[in-house]
Amino acid sequence: MPTTNMTPTTRSAHTTAGAPPTHTALAAAAGRAAELAAESATAADSGNRLSPAVAEALVDAGFARHLVGERWGGSAARRGAVQDLAQALATVGAGCMSAAWCGGVLAAVGRMCSHLPEEGQHELWGDGPDVPLAGSLAPSGVVREVPGGWRLSGTWDFASGVDHAHWTMVGGMVRGADDAPALRHFVLPSRAYTVLDTWHNVGLRGTGSNSLLVDDVFVPTHRSFAHHTVLTGEPDAAAPRLHRVPLKLINGLFFVAPGIGAVEGALHAWTEWTAKRVEVNGVRTSSRPGVRLTLARAAASVGAARLLVERAAAEADEAEVTHALTLSTTRDYSTAVDLLLDAVNGLLRMSGARGQARSSPIQRVWRDVHCMAGHAALQPDVNADAWARHALGEE
């Protein structure tokens, strides 16, 4: 599947620890990762994980460091960082949506772990910011408070990219203020857990979103942080802007942007293929009005989705952060997903049986986008209702 035309250059991104990629934006550096991901997209889909080469290329491109603090050599303080990330995820997504998804997870977990205490951040990034991370956010397992930290046991699911991670963040419920349950996150080195082969889903197969098994592992206080600090943003005014904004302002972008690239890539492949197709009666497939209408609608839908996400990324970078902005942004992420679903559904329907073959990139993208649409952060009823209540003055 072709890459998008948003990538101005490609590079072989091997950097020294702590050194930023050589004077180039992430979106440009993502080109090489996109090429490798496209070459092995079918193998990732059938093997239920990325190849080590693709996983390494994502880190080399700068996804892991992109939202890490500048003091550790990261790029979180760089102007336009969210817009740059959106373009990079779409670039990789055009080649392999699973690879782009894992790139988004690298950036997202890096941002979340930036809420660790100083000692915890140093343990992760003291030797440089290019550290592959994974995460399983939903609370699970058993968390027991002990002197100096907590002990964890249990299974955590859906940790995208965990096979290649050096550290993985997991969520668990603890006793909070007034003894009310509160969600905390705990960061574990790869030696502290066992990866279970549990990821056999219909879509996004290459993400390798396997489970991890933890058996009575001690996590010190400096490798844990409260979820509410991620939801509301870091209160320290000296922290980078992207650590101070609410999670929901950018959370959907990590998942929607890969889908934009994937549908753009599928549209390009479908258009080239359809231009050459001939029906059994000898008529060119492209002469059918329904086929041309599908092409026009799909192009308009993915273009509209891109505009919504680009606006959201620009606002996350520059706009005054308000409650209303956060609500409208989450609404727009869900709307962008609906547009992508409309586009890819039309392409698959007009592809016939050949488009449903396992070798077809159309059916793979169709499965991946539907899997993405089920993510909890993108549910249309929840996001639309929250915005509508605010607009109607009911909250």
Side-chain angles (χ1 to χ4, degrees):
M1 192 177 293
T3 57
T4 67
N5 59 6
M6 294 184 61
T7 308
T9 61
T10 60
R11 64 187 280 269
S12 179
H14 290 281
T15 60
T16 57
T22 309
H23 303 296
T24 183
L26 174 64
R32 176 57 179 159
E35 292 174 3
L36 289 174
E39 291 169 2
S40 61
T42 300
D45 185 65
S46 60
N48 295 318
R49 58 177 48 81
L50 301 181
S51 70
V54 172
E56 182 180 0
L58 292 172
V59 175
D60 286 345
F63 284 102
R65 69 165 59 229
H66 193 64
L67 298 182
V68 173
E70 190 175 25
R71 60 181 167 167
W72 308 116
S75 306
R78 179 178 293 172
R79 185 169 184 179
V82 181
Q83 295 168 82
D84 197 24
L85 178 62
Q87 292 184 42
L89 292 174
T91 296
V92 178
C96 175
M97 187 172 169
S98 288
W101 185 279
C102 289
V105 169
L106 286 173
V109 179
R111 177 186 179 274
M112 293 186 71
C113 287
S114 296
H115 293 277
L116 284 167
E118 179 86 10
E119 184 180 355
Q121 294 186 47
H122 184 270
E123 192 170 357
L124 260 65
W125 300 309
D127 294 328
D130 294 318
V131 179
L133 305 172
S136 177
L137 272 63
S140 186
V142 176
V143 179
R144 180 166 55 91
E145 191 168 3
V146 296
W150 293 266
R151 300 200 76 89
L152 274 62
S153 293
T155 303
W156 279 261
D157 298 325
F158 310 131
S160 299
V162 68
D163 291 285
H164 307 291
H166 292 180
W167 298 82
T168 296
M169 180 186 69
V170 301
M173 302 304 294
V174 301
R175 188 173 54 192
D178 301 322
D179 288 335
L183 175 60
R184 285 192 73 85
H185 299 291
F186 308 89
V187 182
L188 306 171
S190 58
R191 65 179 180 274
Y193 54 79
T194 301
V195 178
L196 305 177
D197 184 15
T198 57
W199 182 247
H200 302 283
N201 277 35
V202 67
L204 291 172
R205 292 174 177 173
T207 61
S209 300
N210 287 307
S211 304
L212 57 149
L213 176 64
V214 180
D215 184 12
D216 193 30
V217 170
F218 174 70
V219 180
T221 303
H222 67 263
R223 278 202 262 116
S224 178
F225 58 95
H227 184 66
H228 72 80
T229 63
V230 182
L231 280 180
T232 58
E234 174 64 51
D236 184 0
R241 172 187 169 89
L242 293 182
H243 296 170
R244 291 184 281 112
V245 301
L247 174 64
K248 289 187 176 182
L249 188 65
I250 60 174
N251 194 36
L253 180 139
F254 299 117
F255 314 114
V256 182
I260 289 172
V263 177
E264 288 178 340
L267 177 63
H268 183 87
W270 183 91
T271 302
E272 288 193 336
W273 173 53
T274 300
K276 302 173 185 176
R277 290 170 61 191
V278 178
E279 305 284 296
V280 294
N281 60 3
V283 174
R284 295 180 66 86
T285 300
S286 59
S287 68
R288 292 169 49 193
V291 170
R292 297 198 297 271
L293 179 60
T294 295
L295 173 60
R297 283 180 171 174
S301 292
V302 71
R306 175 178 280 280
L307 288 173
L308 284 172
V309 172
E310 286 178 345
R311 182 178 70 178
E315 289 174 335
D317 276 328
E318 303 290 348
E320 178 185 358
V321 178
T322 64
H323 180 54
L325 176 63
T326 300
L327 292 175
S328 65
T329 298
T330 55
R331 175 205 65 197
D332 288 352
Y333 287 140
S334 291
T335 302
V337 171
D338 289 341
L339 290 165
L340 295 177
L341 287 171
D342 288 345
V344 78
N345 285 342
L347 295 180
L348 185 70
R349 184 176 185 182
M350 286 296 176
S351 295
R354 287 183 174 81
Q356 299 168 21
R358 290 184 179 180
S359 60
S360 169
I362 308 302
Q363 58 81 27
R364 186 180 71 245
V365 172
W366 181 82
R367 288 187 285 107
D368 289 348
V369 171
H370 277 268
C371 189
M372 174 266 289
H375 195 281
L378 303 173
Q379 294 306 297
D381 56 334
V382 176
N383 292 342
D385 187 68
W387 175 84
R389 284 180 177 275
H390 178 78
L392 294 168
E394 294 180 359
E395 61 171 21

